[in-house]
Amino acid sequence: MFQQWMQQMLLDPHQKTAQNPADLLPSSFEGNVVKESSRLSAKEHLAIYQRSYIARLRNCMAQQFSALEYCLGEELFTAFADEYLAENPSTHYNLGELGRGFTKYLENARPDREATEKEEWIDFIIALADFEFKLNEIFEEQAEEHYKLATSKTIKSNLKLVPICYLFKYDFPVQNYYSDFKHERTPEVPLKQLSYCVVLRHNFKLSLFDIHEEQFHFLTLLKRLNDINLTIKQFAKDYSKSIDEVTAVWQIWKARWIELNFFREQ
Amino acid sequence: MSIKRLGLPALGLGLGLRSKHFNHILEQAPEVEWFEAISENFMDSFGRPRNILNQIAERYPVVLHGVSLSIGSTDPLNFEYLKRLKALADEVKPKWVSDHLCWTGVLTINSHDLLPLPLNEESLDHVCERVLKVQEFMQRPLMLENPSTYASFTNSDIPEWEFLSEMTKRTDCGLLLDVNNVYVSSFNNDFDPVTYIKGLPHDRIVQMHLAGHQHCGNYIIDTHDRKVTSEVWKLFNLAYRLVGKNSILLEWDGNIPEFDVYHSELLKAKKYMHENMPDLVETEHEGMVESVSNPINFIPTEIA
């Protein structure tokens, strides 16, 4: 009961919820739970824990969503993070899990949620939060690492996408914004524009590339079908092109993608 | 008569493994005697951090230091957590595994803070029972660290050093003596740090921690973000003379400096092991603005 009381005092220091911490204490507790000291009152002692609880988790959220914090500015980001943490206290030992529900929270918290016309910048921050969290997951994901990268000499039937290869489609150029921020440039909130990107991990390092719609479709097919010939065939069908036309384009894409470590050799 | 340090080796002077220094350590192979890794940063990681830890563990002795065991919580032990910790330990083969005498949450919530326990017979029984279960599951002794505390409780009636002594007697666990934490807690909670250090079971101390703290006037925060203060070096000197050869680790978790600065601060421990403590300059405490205490450490995602 004592621990429930103390935890409630940390999670809800201003007692905004219906739970009165005092109700959590056994009747044997009379007066203060926390001792006063020669320098601080009991309340001041407890306040140190109350301040550090939220400050520490805010700090972790800011590291987990660093581009989003830059985009929103510290004050607004902190307001969102505080409210999110109040509604979703951590239940996992792994701090990487702390922001798992943040994108959903932002979607639910958007002020224009009921409006028919949505604010574009809010759509952008939701997309950016989604992208950042997924990158964190991809960075830590378990996957085969010891494979041979394909070269220009690898025969077509032996070309396979590297084990960690994710494709993203957003209504904004999220990848450009994120990469600019990470490379210490100062990106502005972009205008709405359909964007596609691929995230690869090789030798435990993430690489991010913009691709165009046709490439996105081709790589999506390749991930699903896991076979170049079948992918070319399906792609030709989807875009009403001949096999020869698609093969010619594929040769150009292939050369570039091999250079960028998209493929391993089977 | 118990075996000194539970029969575990005295590793010498070590550093906390921080992501900022990963490349430096791998490329320069600095002459550090051992490293301490935060268990939770690697337990669920199958990417670069875990790979780097494995590479470092091949070259240096490593110990695992946890922040989420929550040995004092009234929640049931989290065996999923312990399973992951055991799997990491089986892979990395640390010299030992440690955590803190604290609780981190209850009702499945994790505050990610090292919260203090009331220290009395009831909590001693509770902690000892759980230490025995953890040791049985992990198939290895557990080292528990004295946390920095910012509060004590009206229902506490056992001094922390006596609590730790009794805990080691009942469970055969080891101690990680954080000298900085003793100083921080003693200032915040009105006890004598010298009495504390003298009162510990010295043969059970397997490891020591050093770190910097933030003095805020009428209280101190354990920030791990600056150099060790002269008050802590003096306590370290006392502790080292009482304990003897050991494994000394400097923690630095905020405003992490370049590796060489971090290492040179650790190497001061060599000077301050000796009785006369040459060149010790009294620390002038500057800045009263409260910083965040840092028992946790998050590894950010990197892109090429």
Side-chain angles (χ1 to χ4, degrees):
Chain A
M1 294 298 269
F2 151 78
Q3 292 185 353
Q4 289 182 40
W5 168 83
M6 184 159 177
Q7 183 167 278
Q8 186 64 18
M9 295 296 279
L10 302 191
L11 267 53
D12 184 22
H14 307 298
Q15 293 178 33
K16 288 180 183 168
T17 61
Q19 180 70 68
N20 178 4
D23 295 342
L24 296 167
L25 285 173
S27 54
S28 56
F29 272 97
E30 286 172 14
N32 274 338
V33 177
V34 175
K35 271 187 198 167
E36 62 178 10
S37 67
S38 59
R39 299 181 189 88
L40 298 178
S41 66
K43 208 171 168 182
E44 287 168 325
H45 276 291
L46 190 61
I48 299 173
Y49 284 104
Q50 289 170 320
R51 288 193 297 274
S52 66
Y53 165 74
I54 190 66
R56 185 179 305 111
L57 295 187
R58 253 183 219 153
N59 188 23
C60 284
M61 288 289 288
Q63 288 182 66
Q64 208 161 82
F65 297 95
S66 56
L68 183 65
E69 189 203 25
Y70 161 78
C71 179
L72 289 171
E74 192 183 337
E75 198 178 329
L76 188 53
F77 180 84
T78 300
F80 280 130
D82 284 7
E83 196 175 294
Y84 167 72
L85 290 166
E87 286 178 19
N88 305 273
S90 174
T91 55
H92 204 281
Y93 58 83
N94 181 358
L95 277 168
E97 292 292 315
L98 191 63
R100 180 165 293 284
F102 197 43
T103 307
K104 194 82 192 153
Y105 157 80
L106 290 171
E107 281 170 8
N108 291 334
R110 60 183 302 159
D112 60 353
R113 200 156 73 101
E114 304 299 329
T116 42
E117 286 208 15
K118 301 276 194 275
E119 296 263 0
E120 276 193 13
W121 74 273
I122 301 176
D123 289 334
F124 173 69
I125 64 159
I126 291 168
L128 184 59
D130 178 69
F131 189 59
E132 280 205 277
F133 191 77
K134 283 180 176 148
L135 288 183
N136 294 334
E137 287 190 302
I138 297 169
F139 184 64
E140 299 287 16
E141 186 179 330
Q142 186 160 28
E144 186 193 342
E145 295 286 346
H146 304 290
Y147 51 82
K148 191 180 168 198
L149 283 171
T151 67
S152 56
K153 289 177 184 153
T154 305
I155 58 168
K156 191 162 66 176
S157 58
N158 284 349
L159 277 181
K160 297 289 168 198
L161 285 167
V162 291
I164 294 196
C165 171
Y166 284 92
L167 299 162
F168 292 95
K169 176 184 175 185
Y170 289 108
D171 290 334
F172 296 86
V174 170
Q175 188 280 124
N176 280 338
Y177 185 93
Y178 177 83
S179 294
D180 279 354
F181 167 75
K182 283 287 183 184
H183 292 110
E184 294 179 357
R185 293 186 279 266
T186 51
E188 302 277 336
V189 174
L191 295 173
K192 197 166 183 173
Q193 182 196 348
L194 213 53
S195 79
Y196 304 88
C197 77
V198 58
V199 175
L200 307 174
R201 196 179 88 191
H202 176 62
N203 273 342
F204 301 100
K205 286 188 181 159
L206 299 188
S207 304
L208 283 49
F209 304 102
D210 261 356
I211 49 178
H212 54 69
E213 191 268 335
E214 290 81 4
Q215 291 173 323
F216 178 84
H217 188 68
F218 188 93
L219 289 168
T220 304
L221 288 174
L222 184 55
K223 276 195 79 157
R224 179 156 59 87
L225 301 169
N226 201 25
D227 181 285
I228 300 288
N229 286 331
L230 288 175
T231 299
I232 289 172
K233 206 171 152 189
Q234 185 61 44
F235 186 86
K237 193 176 161 195
D238 293 346
Y239 281 86
S240 305
K241 301 279 184 195
S242 71
I243 298 286
D244 286 347
E245 281 174 307
V246 175
T247 303
V249 172
W250 153 245
Q251 291 301 335
I252 298 165
W253 292 349
K254 183 180 84 171
R256 177 79 180 132
W257 289 347
I258 284 176
E259 226 172 77
L260 297 175
N261 298 337
F262 278 44
F263 294 110
R264 64 170 166 166
E265 196 167 296
Q266 195 176 36
Chain B
M1 184 76 184
S2 62
I3 304 169
K4 198 171 175 64
R5 297 189 308 269
L6 313 183
L8 292 165
L11 299 175
L13 301 179
L15 289 175
L17 183 59
R18 304 294 178 256
S19 60
K20 177 176 178 169
H21 302 138
F22 282 170
N23 288 341
H24 180 91
I25 297 165
L26 291 181
E27 288 161 13
Q28 307 296 323
E31 286 185 22
V32 177
E33 290 175 288
W34 60 285
F35 284 99
E36 180 186 78
I38 302 292
S39 314
E40 289 79 1
N41 282 349
F42 302 94
M43 282 162 62
D44 291 345
S45 162
F46 299 97
R48 186 162 185 263
R50 179 84 163 243
N51 174 258
I52 285 176
L53 176 61
N54 283 329
Q55 290 183 59
I56 288 171
E58 281 174 16
R59 301 182 194 182
Y60 298 91
V62 163
V63 308
L64 290 176
H65 184 50
V67 291
S68 283
L69 175 61
S70 202
I71 199 75
S73 174
T74 51
D75 270 6
L77 281 168
N78 181 345
F79 279 94
E80 187 52 39
Y81 170 88
L82 286 170
K83 207 170 92 186
R84 297 272 183 151
L85 179 61
K86 191 169 190 293
L88 179 67
D90 289 346
E91 186 175 307
V92 173
K93 299 185 174 41
K95 296 295 178 190
W96 54 84
V97 174
S98 64
D99 207 291
H100 301 80
L101 176 67
C102 71
W103 60 287
T104 58
V106 69
L107 304 175
T108 74
I109 286 173
N110 192 330
S111 71
H112 299 282
D113 200 352
L114 310 172
L115 301 171
L117 285 164
L119 302 176
N120 51 39
E121 276 303 325
E122 187 188 357
S123 60
L124 181 61
D125 288 346
H126 178 67
V127 167
C128 289
E129 188 190 328
R130 287 161 67 96
V131 169
L132 290 170
K133 281 183 187 164
V134 170
Q135 293 184 144
E136 190 186 346
F137 182 86
M138 295 290 291
Q139 290 292 296
R140 57 167 72 232
L142 179 67
M143 311 304 138
L144 282 179
E145 175 183 345
N146 55 300
S148 278
T149 55
Y150 310 101
S152 55
F153 303 101
T154 50
N155 61 338
S156 285
D157 54 15
I158 305 177
E160 191 169 286
W161 57 94
E162 286 179 18
F163 189 100
L164 291 167
S165 297
E166 190 58 28
M167 179 185 77
T168 61
K169 263 188 223 162
R170 292 195 200 174
T171 66
D172 283 334
C173 75
L175 292 181
L176 194 175
L177 169 61
D178 190 315
V179 181
N180 179 58
N181 290 357
V182 173
Y183 184 76
V184 170
S185 300
S186 72
F187 186 91
N188 291 336
N189 299 302
D190 293 335
F191 64 79
D192 175 20
V194 171
T195 306
Y196 186 114
I197 286 178
K198 285 184 176 171
L200 289 170
H202 301 126
D203 58 344
R204 288 280 168 178
I205 296 173
V206 172
Q207 183 186 337
M208 290 190 210
H209 269 170
L210 291 163
H213 60 242
Q214 164 78 58
H215 206 301
C216 300
N218 50 3
Y219 60 98
I220 296 178
I221 302 283
D222 180 23
T223 47
H224 299 183
D225 64 347
R226 65 197 69 200
K227 291 180 176 179
V228 179
T229 66
S230 54
E231 295 91 340
V232 172
W233 281 124
K234 285 176 198 166
L235 278 183
F236 166 70
N237 177 274
L238 169 69
Y240 193 84
R241 286 189 291 119
L242 290 168
V243 171
K245 281 180 77 176
N246 210 267
S247 302
I248 317 299
L249 188 289
L250 174 64
E251 296 180 295
W252 208 313
D253 294 290
N255 302 325
I256 299 173
E258 293 304 316
F259 189 87
D260 292 341
V261 175
Y262 187 16
H263 195 192
S264 65
E265 183 66 9
L266 168 73
L267 295 178
K268 286 181 187 171
K270 275 187 187 173
K271 284 195 293 186
Y272 301 145
M273 288 168 183
H274 305 295
E275 196 163 2
N276 59 357
M277 304 191 70
D279 311 327
L280 181 68
V281 179
E282 293 297 328
T283 302
E284 284 181 32
H285 297 290
E286 49 189 62
M288 298 294 189
V289 179
E290 183 177 301
S291 307
V292 182
S293 65
N294 259 312
I296 52 172
N297 183 274
F298 178 75
I299 298 184
T301 298
E302 296 165 58
I303 59 167

